[in-house]
Amino acid sequence: MNMDHDMHHMDHDMHHMDHDMNGMDHSQMMNHGGHMMDMGDMKKKFWISLILTIPIILMSPMMGMQLPFQLTFPGSNFIVLILGSILFFYCSTPFFSGAKGEIKNKKPEMMSLITLGISVAYVYSVYSVVANDILNITPKVNDFFWELSTLIVIMLLGHRIEMNSIMNAGSAINKLSKLLPDSAHLISENGDIKDVSTNKLAVGNSILIKSGEQIPADGKIYDGSTSVNESLVTGESRSVNKQTNNDVIGGSINGDGTIKVKISGTGSSGYLSKVKNMVQEAQSSKSKTETAANQVASYLFYAALVVAIIAFVAWSFVRGVSFAIPVTVTVLIIACPHALGLAVPLITSRTTSLAATNGLLIRNKNALDGINDIKYALMDKTGTLTEGKFKVNGYVSLDQNYSDDEIVKIAASVEQNSNHPLANGIAEIAKQKGLSLYEVINDTQITGYGVKGTLNNNDFAVVSAAYLDANNIKYTAQDTQNYLNDGNSVSYVIKDNVAIGFIAEGDSIKKGSKAMVQYLLSQNITPVMLTGDNKDAAAKVASLLGISEFKAQLLPEDKQKNVLSYQKQGKTIFIGDGINDAPSLTQSDIGIAIGSGTDVAIDSADVVLVNSDPNDIVSLVKLAKNSHRKMIQNLWWGAGYNILALPLAAGILGFAGIMLDPMVGAIVMSLSTVIVALNALTLKIK
């Protein structure tokens, strides 16, 4: 593991872009049955429906049951009709559009069930107003405006709660697009250089990339050498040395050198575009996942239709059509999912709230539904299980003329003008020990090996073992073997071609990583490490954490392929932090991003660990399991009463003179809604 000193250099700033952990886009969109719902429009319709529902409740009986607070007067039924019509034709449009999409997909679910209920309630209620107040038919026909208005307002409330707890996953695509610079230095055929818009670059163009600039397109270096920070793109915690004929990736950051590059890929053919396509494809496949609530609603839709048709046909023969119609309508109204509409959103809201207080940002609650079926937890290494920055783990003098601290002082002095992570690590330990640095002159980079400089008229260098090998400088490899075995990178301090000491630095394991791995194992979830880093470093981290399965030196597409492979064996979690993790985060059944990671990773994930502590996954899994259990309970409370209410409303016991009174059905329906709400409030993490 004698790694190049410069191979570990990375930009500590790493473009950790700002991300607001609490901000939510209120113009965001959600897909239901193929129809896109606008959050702002949903909010407006909810408030209008709530305002209109209040007078309807005051003036309209609940399934024929007069309540003490109700107010009726001549013409009040017509006012209720007008208010109900506004509710039906304006406030219900999201449900109609959603139902249209579901029917088009030949998969009626929640939207279809709601549309069926409110349509029957509205049409029959209009008929009741005509029959009672215009034709004066006796006996009076019950209207269902109370049920119509409350169902609409409750369902809109449920969707508002649900949408407020889910952020827009699509923004990951936008963040990827922003990684390329706006302009590039184009080299013309006569050698002139002019700045052009990045989107005007084409394959075969030559471009100049100065030190510190972002690389605007994929290409091959034909002049110059440098080190490139590819950590944002590949996830590897080091800068990579580049020289003539080496490839560079658009979106990565150029180091100290100036290079000329011939473009090999841009736009749709570039590396970032391929990552973007992988994210889009994974998002598309995940959006097709059916939730438990929609499954229950689908069963209810068919059950209500079948029971209603049977009831209509049967009672038409027995008592006539005039008796069969109210029975049929009652069946369809009772199937209205008041409680079901709140069952999942209330759990979603409670789960999101509990998660936020425990350092978890849940962006897609639906993804957590399958937590009990998770078999594999796939995870990135650098920045996820490890800190992603280098720390001095040891320093030793090899020359009796210099103390151990003097070796640190010399190394920090030589590298004091460098911003490489290894240099930063050495500077940090020197600062901690209160060492005052020497003034350095003539400090220059030794390309591919390290840095040299002059201190008090003596020439020193801080370099890798490869430099010693290349220049036949003697050293004893055994001196550093223990540090190398622990996954450290070793830098030698040399004077006059003699190694006088060394400093070992490593990427330390995060405090919560081991506890997280042990918990996953206790839950029969197999942890698997997938990393772009080298096999030695991966093996060491895996060994320390107790991870038996790991795969190293992976590209982003390799990671996603591994996710797909494991998904064939069981449901997966993926935990990561880099742009290279975005496709895997999206592809997995549950994607978990580290909060200190890139915006693209965060926007691709279902859950964000705000505190960047891997051990927070323990809280997440516990919360998700409890949330799933509560959701199943709520679905039973929300829809379970229909198992009895539907056949009773249809008159299955009519032969014995027992018919379900609509008022009883309304009371039971209201009770189930209250129970669902109370059950959601008892959700806890432990």
Side-chain angles (χ1 to χ4, degrees), residues 605-620:
D606 300 303
V607 181
V608 179
L609 305 183
V610 178
N611 300 323
S612 303
D613 183 358
N615 200 34
D616 283 344
I617 289 171
V618 174
S619 296
L620 174 67

Side-chain angles (χ1 to χ4, degrees), residues 346-347 350-351 354 623 626-627 629-631 633-634 637 674-686:
L346 285 175
I347 294 292
R350 177 67 177 162
T351 301
L354 277 173
L623 176 60
N626 291 341
S627 174
R629 179 172 51 82
K630 286 286 186 182
M631 186 189 73
Q633 290 173 359
N634 266 9
W637 280 114
V674 172
I675 292 170
V676 158
L678 292 175
N679 191 42
L681 291 175
T682 61
L683 174 64
K684 295 178 181 177
I685 288 184
K686 303 301 180 187

Side-chain angles (χ1 to χ4, degrees), residues 336-587:
C336 289
H338 284 73
L340 187 61
L342 287 177
V344 174
L346 285 175
I347 294 292
T348 299
S349 180
R350 177 67 177 162
T351 301
T352 304
S353 175
L354 277 173
T357 59
N358 286 273
L360 304 165
L361 176 64
I362 295 180
R363 296 164 41 78
N364 180 8
K365 168 60 182 68
N366 291 340
L368 300 186
D369 288 350
I371 192 70
N372 289 324
D373 300 321
I374 295 294
K375 300 295 181 188
Y376 297 97
L378 313 177
M379 55 197 78
D380 177 45
K381 179 181 75 69
T382 306
T384 300
L385 296 173
T386 65
E387 295 290 352
K389 55 185 179 181
F390 288 96
K391 174 184 174 185
V392 172
N393 291 323
Y395 47 94
V396 176
S397 171
L398 301 174
D399 187 323
Q400 61 182 3
N401 294 318
Y402 298 93
S403 67
D404 291 347
D405 282 359
E406 187 70 12
I407 294 299
V408 173
K409 183 175 180 177
I410 291 169
S413 299
V414 171
E415 297 208 275
Q416 63 187 280
N417 295 320
S418 173
N419 63 356
H420 288 155
L422 288 173
N424 291 340
I426 294 171
E428 182 63 28
I429 193 71
K431 182 179 178 182
Q432 288 176 12
K433 298 185 74 64
L435 302 176
S436 56
L437 304 186
Y438 298 115
E439 182 182 352
V440 62
I441 58 173
N442 301 324
D443 51 322
T444 54
Q445 183 178 359
I446 307 173
T447 303
Y449 296 116
V451 180
K452 65 181 179 180
T454 303
L455 309 175
N456 296 332
N457 296 319
N458 292 306
D459 293 332
F460 293 92
V462 183
V463 292
S464 64
Y467 180 87
L468 276 60
D469 293 333
N471 291 275
N472 296 317
I473 298 173
K474 293 181 180 180
Y475 68 101
T476 305
Q478 195 61 39
D479 292 335
T480 60
Q481 198 58 50
N482 288 337
Y483 289 106
L484 293 171
N485 290 342
D486 286 339
N488 289 281
S489 174
V490 173
S491 301
Y492 284 89
V493 178
I494 62 172
K495 177 189 177 187
D496 300 329
N497 282 339
V498 175
I500 61 172
F502 67 84
I503 299 173
E505 296 179 74
D507 184 5
S508 58
I509 291 173
K510 285 186 177 179
K511 186 178 179 182
S513 294
K514 185 152 190 168
M516 180 264 289
V517 169
Q518 289 175 337
Y519 175 76
L520 292 174
L521 289 169
S522 75
Q523 298 297 303
N524 295 318
I525 298 173
T526 304
V528 182
M529 188 169 70
L530 305 177
T531 178
D533 215 339
N534 65 79
K535 289 181 180 178
D536 290 335
K540 185 61 186 177
V541 171
S543 173
L544 290 171
L545 293 177
I547 297 174
S548 57
E549 291 186 45
F550 72 89
K551 297 184 180 181
Q553 295 172 307
L554 301 177
L555 296 172
E557 53 267 35
D558 296 329
K559 285 189 178 183
Q560 190 187 24
K561 285 174 185 173
N562 273 280
V563 172
L564 282 165
S565 175
Y566 278 100
Q567 278 181 318
K568 291 176 183 176
Q569 303 171 53
K571 287 197 171 185
T572 64
I573 292 172
F574 185 88
I575 310 159
D577 72 323
I579 287 166
N580 65 313
D581 297 326
S584 300
L585 284 164
T586 313
Q587 178 65 53

Side-chain angles (χ1 to χ4, degrees), residues 48 143 152 196 201 224 254 367 391 407 519 550 564 570 614 651:
I48 291 173
D143 70 66
I152 290 171
V196 299
L201 296 177
N254 186 26
K391 174 184 174 185
I407 294 299
Y519 175 76
F550 72 89
L564 282 165

Side-chain angles (χ1 to χ4, degrees), residues 24-78:
M24 294 189 182
D25 182 3
H26 286 273
S27 64
Q28 64 189 285
M29 309 292 279
M30 262 186 77
N31 189 294
H32 283 277
H35 174 69
M36 300 305 289
M37 291 189 187
D38 182 82
M39 186 59 178
D41 188 50
M42 180 73 75
K43 182 179 179 180
K44 182 170 71 173
K45 283 182 167 63
F46 165 72
W47 285 112
I48 291 173
S49 66
L50 181 62
I51 292 168
L52 296 180
T53 295
I54 294 170
I56 289 176
I57 289 175
L58 291 174
M59 291 187 284
S60 179
M62 178 173 69
M63 285 195 172
M65 181 170 58
Q66 290 287 341
L67 298 173
F69 57 78
Q70 282 181 330
L71 173 68
T72 56
F73 52 85
S76 62
N77 288 341
F78 290 104

